[in-house]
Amino acid sequence: MGEKTPDHLPDRRMKQDCSGYHERISETSASAEAGRMLRSQEPMKKESTVSVEQGDITALDCECIVNAANKSLLGGGGVDGAIHRAAGPELLKECRTLGGCETGKAKITRGYHLPAEWVIHTVGPIYSGKEKDAELLADCYRNSLELAKGYSIHRIAFPAISTGVYGYPLKEAAAVALSAVRNWLDDNRDYFMEVIFCCFNQQAYDIYQSGIAESRTRKGV
Ligand code: AR6
Protein backbone atom coordinates (compact mmCIF):
# COMPACT_ATOMS: atom_id res chain seq x y z
CA MET A 1 0.00 0.00 0.00
CA GLY A 2 1.50 3.34 -0.94
CA GLU A 3 1.05 6.64 0.82
CA LYS A 4 -2.43 7.87 1.50
CA THR A 5 -2.90 10.66 -1.01
CA PRO A 6 -6.64 10.79 -1.68
CA ASP A 7 -6.37 14.44 -2.68
CA HIS A 8 -4.12 13.53 -5.55
CA LEU A 9 -6.23 10.77 -7.02
CA PRO A 10 -7.43 11.19 -10.58
CA ASP A 11 -11.00 12.45 -10.74
CA ARG A 12 -13.14 9.34 -10.97
CA ARG A 13 -16.28 11.07 -9.82
CA MET A 14 -17.33 11.72 -13.37
CA LYS A 15 -18.68 8.18 -13.41
CA GLN A 16 -22.32 7.53 -12.75
CA ASP A 17 -23.62 8.89 -9.47
CA CYS A 18 -26.34 6.46 -8.55
CA SER A 19 -28.00 8.50 -5.85
CA GLY A 20 -30.70 9.38 -8.36
CA TYR A 21 -32.15 5.92 -8.55
CA HIS A 22 -31.02 4.37 -5.28
CA GLU A 23 -33.69 4.52 -2.65
CA ARG A 24 -32.45 5.43 0.79
CA ILE A 25 -33.73 5.28 4.28
CA SER A 26 -31.78 6.52 7.21
CA GLU A 27 -31.82 5.94 10.94
CA THR A 28 -30.22 9.24 11.81
CA SER A 29 -32.17 11.58 14.04
CA ALA A 30 -31.24 15.14 13.23
CA SER A 31 -34.14 16.64 15.15
CA ALA A 32 -33.25 14.72 18.31
CA GLU A 33 -29.67 15.96 17.95
CA ALA A 34 -30.83 19.54 17.40
CA GLY A 35 -32.90 19.31 20.59
CA ARG A 36 -29.95 17.99 22.53
CA MET A 37 -27.79 20.81 21.21
CA LEU A 38 -30.26 23.49 22.23
CA ARG A 39 -30.50 22.03 25.69
CA SER A 40 -26.77 21.62 26.22
CA GLN A 41 -25.52 24.62 24.20
CA GLU A 42 -22.82 22.31 22.79
CA PRO A 43 -21.86 22.55 19.11
CA MET A 44 -23.85 20.08 16.97
CA LYS A 45 -21.89 17.01 15.93
CA LYS A 46 -22.59 15.29 12.61
CA GLU A 47 -24.32 11.99 13.34
CA SER A 48 -23.29 8.79 11.66
CA THR A 49 -25.91 7.23 9.42
CA VAL A 50 -26.92 3.80 8.23
CA SER A 51 -28.87 3.50 4.99
CA VAL A 52 -29.81 0.94 2.41
CA GLU A 53 -29.71 1.27 -1.36
CA GLN A 54 -30.52 -1.07 -4.17
CA GLY A 55 -28.17 -1.40 -7.10
CA ASP A 56 -24.75 -2.36 -8.37
CA ILE A 57 -22.03 -1.48 -5.87
CA THR A 58 -19.49 -0.93 -8.65
CA ALA A 59 -21.54 2.02 -9.90
CA LEU A 60 -21.79 3.71 -6.51
CA ASP A 61 -20.06 7.05 -6.27
CA CYS A 62 -18.94 6.38 -2.73
CA GLU A 63 -15.59 7.07 -1.09
CA CYS A 64 -15.07 3.38 -0.35
CA ILE A 65 -16.77 0.15 -1.34
CA VAL A 66 -16.29 -3.22 0.29
CA ASN A 67 -15.58 -6.36 -1.69
CA ALA A 68 -16.81 -9.81 -0.62
CA ALA A 69 -13.58 -11.49 -1.63
CA ASN A 70 -12.00 -14.90 -1.08
CA LYS A 71 -8.81 -15.63 0.86
CA SER A 72 -6.58 -15.34 -2.21
CA LEU A 73 -7.78 -11.78 -2.94
CA LEU A 74 -7.15 -12.58 -6.58
CA GLY A 75 -10.71 -12.17 -7.80
CA GLY A 76 -13.62 -14.53 -8.35
CA GLY A 77 -17.30 -14.41 -9.27
CA GLY A 78 -20.22 -12.43 -7.84
CA VAL A 79 -19.51 -8.97 -6.49
CA ASP A 80 -15.76 -9.72 -6.42
CA GLY A 81 -15.73 -10.39 -10.17
CA ALA A 82 -17.82 -7.28 -10.84
CA ILE A 83 -15.48 -5.08 -8.78
CA HIS A 84 -12.37 -6.41 -10.53
CA ARG A 85 -13.95 -5.96 -13.96
CA ALA A 86 -14.96 -2.39 -13.22
CA ALA A 87 -11.70 -1.43 -11.50
CA GLY A 88 -9.48 -2.84 -14.24
CA PRO A 89 -6.30 -4.95 -14.14
CA GLU A 90 -4.47 -2.51 -11.85
CA LEU A 91 -6.63 -3.76 -8.99
CA LEU A 92 -5.50 -7.34 -9.44
CA LYS A 93 -1.92 -6.15 -9.64
CA GLU A 94 -2.21 -4.42 -6.27
CA CYS A 95 -4.11 -7.38 -4.78
CA ARG A 96 -1.21 -9.65 -5.72
CA THR A 97 1.01 -7.66 -3.34
CA LEU A 98 -1.28 -8.18 -0.33
CA GLY A 99 -0.53 -11.82 0.45
CA GLY A 100 -4.17 -12.90 0.70
CA CYS A 101 -6.52 -12.34 3.63
CA GLU A 102 -7.91 -14.50 6.42
CA THR A 103 -11.64 -14.96 6.92
CA GLY A 104 -13.08 -12.04 8.90
CA LYS A 105 -10.09 -9.79 8.22
CA ALA A 106 -9.86 -6.87 5.76
CA LYS A 107 -7.31 -5.26 3.46
CA ILE A 108 -7.45 -2.04 1.45
CA THR A 109 -6.53 -1.04 -2.11
CA ARG A 110 -7.18 1.86 -4.45
CA GLY A 111 -10.34 1.76 -6.57
CA TYR A 112 -8.60 2.49 -9.90
CA HIS A 113 -11.31 2.84 -12.57
CA LEU A 114 -14.17 2.53 -10.09
CA PRO A 115 -15.99 5.66 -8.98
CA ALA A 116 -14.91 4.66 -5.44
CA GLU A 117 -11.46 5.85 -4.36
CA TRP A 118 -10.91 2.86 -2.13
CA VAL A 119 -11.84 -0.80 -2.03
CA ILE A 120 -11.75 -2.73 1.22
CA HIS A 121 -11.49 -6.46 0.58
CA THR A 122 -12.88 -8.69 3.28
CA VAL A 123 -13.43 -12.43 3.34
CA GLY A 124 -16.75 -13.66 4.67
CA PRO A 125 -17.28 -17.11 6.15
CA ILE A 126 -18.53 -19.99 4.03
CA TYR A 127 -21.85 -20.74 5.75
CA SER A 128 -21.72 -23.85 7.91
CA GLY A 129 -24.66 -23.30 10.27
CA LYS A 130 -22.30 -23.04 13.26
CA GLU A 131 -22.05 -20.20 15.77
CA LYS A 132 -18.66 -19.22 14.45
CA ASP A 133 -20.26 -18.04 11.17
CA ALA A 134 -21.89 -15.03 12.84
CA GLU A 135 -18.69 -14.09 14.69
CA LEU A 136 -16.65 -14.19 11.50
CA LEU A 137 -19.26 -12.28 9.53
CA ALA A 138 -19.43 -9.59 12.23
CA ASP A 139 -15.60 -9.43 12.13
CA CYS A 140 -15.80 -8.59 8.40
CA TYR A 141 -17.93 -5.51 9.09
CA ARG A 142 -16.01 -4.45 12.21
CA ASN A 143 -12.57 -4.86 10.66
CA SER A 144 -13.63 -3.11 7.45
CA LEU A 145 -14.95 -0.13 9.41
CA GLU A 146 -11.83 -0.02 11.57
CA LEU A 147 -9.61 -0.07 8.50
CA ALA A 148 -11.72 2.63 6.85
CA LYS A 149 -11.39 4.82 9.92
CA GLY A 150 -7.60 4.37 9.81
CA TYR A 151 -7.70 5.83 6.29
CA SER A 152 -10.00 8.69 7.33
CA ILE A 153 -12.78 7.33 5.17
CA HIS A 154 -16.23 8.65 6.08
CA ARG A 155 -18.51 7.00 3.52
CA ILE A 156 -18.49 3.27 2.96
CA ALA A 157 -20.78 0.86 1.11
CA PHE A 158 -21.07 -2.84 1.92
CA PRO A 159 -22.53 -5.62 -0.20
CA ALA A 160 -24.34 -8.46 1.59
CA ILE A 161 -21.14 -10.34 2.42
CA SER A 162 -21.30 -14.17 2.26
CA THR A 163 -24.90 -14.28 1.02
CA GLY A 164 -24.10 -15.40 -2.52
CA VAL A 165 -21.64 -18.18 -3.35
CA TYR A 166 -20.82 -18.59 0.37
CA GLY A 167 -24.46 -19.50 1.13
CA TYR A 168 -25.21 -17.42 4.24
CA PRO A 169 -29.02 -17.03 4.58
CA LEU A 170 -29.82 -13.43 3.74
CA LYS A 171 -32.03 -12.67 6.72
CA GLU A 172 -29.52 -14.03 9.24
CA ALA A 173 -26.64 -12.29 7.50
CA ALA A 174 -28.50 -8.97 7.45
CA ALA A 175 -29.18 -9.18 11.20
CA VAL A 176 -25.49 -9.85 11.87
CA ALA A 177 -24.42 -7.04 9.52
CA LEU A 178 -26.78 -4.46 11.02
CA SER A 179 -25.86 -5.30 14.58
CA ALA A 180 -22.10 -5.35 13.88
CA VAL A 181 -22.29 -1.94 12.19
CA ARG A 182 -24.48 -0.46 14.91
CA ASN A 183 -22.11 -1.72 17.62
CA TRP A 184 -19.12 -0.27 15.82
CA LEU A 185 -20.86 3.10 15.42
CA ASP A 186 -21.77 3.05 19.12
CA ASP A 187 -18.14 2.35 20.03
CA ASN A 188 -16.94 5.13 17.72
CA ARG A 189 -19.30 7.97 18.52
CA ASP A 190 -16.52 10.49 18.03
CA TYR A 191 -16.09 9.46 14.38
CA PHE A 192 -18.57 10.34 11.63
CA MET A 193 -19.27 7.46 9.29
CA GLU A 194 -21.92 7.08 6.63
CA VAL A 195 -22.64 3.38 6.13
CA ILE A 196 -24.56 2.18 3.11
CA PHE A 197 -25.81 -1.36 2.63
CA CYS A 198 -25.85 -1.88 -1.11
CA CYS A 199 -28.34 -4.61 -2.02
CA PHE A 200 -28.23 -6.18 -5.44
CA ASN A 201 -31.86 -7.22 -5.56
CA GLN A 202 -35.26 -6.31 -4.18
CA GLN A 203 -35.38 -9.19 -1.71
CA ALA A 204 -32.14 -8.12 -0.04
CA TYR A 205 -33.23 -4.49 -0.08
CA ASP A 206 -36.52 -5.33 1.68
CA ILE A 207 -34.76 -7.38 4.34
CA TYR A 208 -32.24 -4.66 5.17
CA GLN A 209 -34.89 -1.97 5.05
CA SER A 210 -37.08 -3.74 7.57
CA GLY A 211 -34.04 -4.43 9.78
CA ILE A 212 -33.24 -0.72 9.88
CA ALA A 213 -36.88 0.21 10.43
CA GLU A 214 -37.11 -2.26 13.33
CA SER A 215 -34.08 -0.79 15.04
CA ARG A 216 -35.51 2.71 14.56
CA THR A 217 -38.74 1.60 16.24
CA ARG A 218 -36.79 0.06 19.11
CA LYS A 219 -34.83 3.29 19.59
CA GLY A 220 -38.00 5.39 19.23
CA VAL A 221 -36.54 7.73 16.62
N1 AR6 B 1 -23.33 -5.14 -6.38
C1 AR6 B 1 -23.86 -5.39 -5.16
N2 AR6 B 1 -24.09 -6.64 -4.70
C2 AR6 B 1 -23.76 -7.67 -5.52
C3 AR6 B 1 -23.20 -7.50 -6.81
C4 AR6 B 1 -22.99 -6.15 -7.22
N3 AR6 B 1 -22.45 -5.88 -8.42
N4 AR6 B 1 -23.01 -8.72 -7.37
C5 AR6 B 1 -23.44 -9.63 -6.47
N5 AR6 B 1 -23.91 -9.00 -5.37
P1 AR6 B 1 -21.07 -13.09 -3.62
P2 AR6 B 1 -19.98 -14.25 -1.16
C6 AR6 B 1 -24.45 -9.57 -4.13
O1 AR6 B 1 -21.30 -14.46 -4.18
O2 AR6 B 1 -21.22 -14.98 -0.92
C7 AR6 B 1 -16.71 -14.78 -5.10
O3 AR6 B 1 -16.40 -15.68 -6.12
C8 AR6 B 1 -25.06 -10.93 -4.25
O4 AR6 B 1 -26.41 -10.85 -4.66
O5 AR6 B 1 -20.49 -12.07 -4.53
O6 AR6 B 1 -19.34 -13.51 -0.02
C9 AR6 B 1 -15.50 -14.50 -4.21
O7 AR6 B 1 -14.29 -14.52 -4.91
C10 AR6 B 1 -24.95 -11.41 -2.81
O8 AR6 B 1 -26.07 -10.96 -2.04
O9 AR6 B 1 -20.06 -13.16 -2.34
C11 AR6 B 1 -15.58 -15.60 -3.20
O10 AR6 B 1 -14.99 -16.78 -3.70
C12 AR6 B 1 -23.73 -10.69 -2.26
O11 AR6 B 1 -23.37 -9.72 -3.24
C13 AR6 B 1 -17.05 -15.81 -3.03
O12 AR6 B 1 -17.66 -15.35 -4.23
C14 AR6 B 1 -22.52 -11.57 -2.01
O13 AR6 B 1 -22.44 -12.59 -3.03
C15 AR6 B 1 -17.60 -14.97 -1.91
O14 AR6 B 1 -18.94 -15.31 -1.72
Side-chain angles (χ1 to χ4, degrees):
M1 197 48 241
E3 263 190 10
K4 291 178 253 172
T5 52
D7 292 346
H8 302 106
L9 286 170
D11 185 7
R12 297 192 207 91
R13 294 189 180 275
M14 290 165 69
K15 301 266 179 69
Q16 183 183 16
D17 177 348
C18 296
S19 53
Y21 70 83
H22 283 244
E23 275 190 76
R24 298 189 55 177
I25 58 167
S26 168
E27 66 171 357
T28 189
S29 175
S31 54
E33 178 63 23
R36 271 198 296 278
M37 191 200 84
L38 279 174
R39 281 193 297 279
S40 66
Q41 298 294 305
E42 283 171 5
M44 181 153 51
K45 277 191 205 142
K46 226 172 156 189
E47 277 208 14
S48 291
T49 62
V50 179
S51 61
V52 54
E53 303 194 9
Q54 189 182 340
D56 177 355
I57 203 166
T58 66
L60 268 190
D61 193 359
C62 188
E63 194 179 4
C64 177
I65 62 169
V66 176
N67 182 17
N70 58 56
K71 286 183 180 181
S72 78
L73 297 186
L74 299 180
V79 71
D80 194 7
I83 287 174
H84 275 270
R85 275 193 302 280
E90 296 96 331
L91 178 60
L92 181 59
K93 199 171 166 205
E94 186 175 352
C95 283
R96 284 193 200 285
T97 68
L98 299 178
C101 183
E102 290 306 313
T103 304
K105 299 283 192 300
K107 294 202 174 170
I108 191 165
T109 64
R110 298 301 181 110
Y112 299 98
H113 300 288
L114 286 162
E117 290 173 11
W118 303 98
V119 179
I120 289 181
H121 307 261
T122 188
V123 183
I126 298 171
Y127 187 70
S128 67
K130 297 187 181 140
E131 251 177 56
K132 189 86 184 148
D133 295 338
E135 287 167 32
L136 289 169
L137 188 60
D139 285 347
C140 289
Y141 288 92
R142 207 171 18 247
N143 288 325
S144 296
L145 288 164
E146 208 55 44
L147 185 55
K149 183 181 175 182
Y151 277 72
S152 301
I153 288 164
H154 290 279
R155 190 160 189 254
I156 186 168
F158 286 95
I161 299 164
S162 282
T163 64
V165 174
Y166 283 179
Y168 213 119
L170 197 50
K171 219 170 166 181
E172 282 180 40
V176 172
L178 284 164
S179 123
V181 165
R182 241 181 266 119
N183 289 340
W184 189 89
L185 294 177
D186 281 348
D187 292 344
N188 291 271
R189 284 177 186 277
D190 58 335
Y191 190 84
F192 171 74
M193 185 69 96
E194 202 178 330
V195 180
I196 297 157
F197 289 107
C198 180
C199 300
F200 205 38
N201 57 43
Q202 184 71 43
Q203 189 205 3
Y205 177 82
D206 290 344
I207 287 173
Y208 274 88
Q209 193 184 35
S210 47
I212 290 182
E214 266 171 37
S215 80
R216 242 188 328 189
T217 310
R218 272 200 306 275
K219 285 164 85 181
V221 294

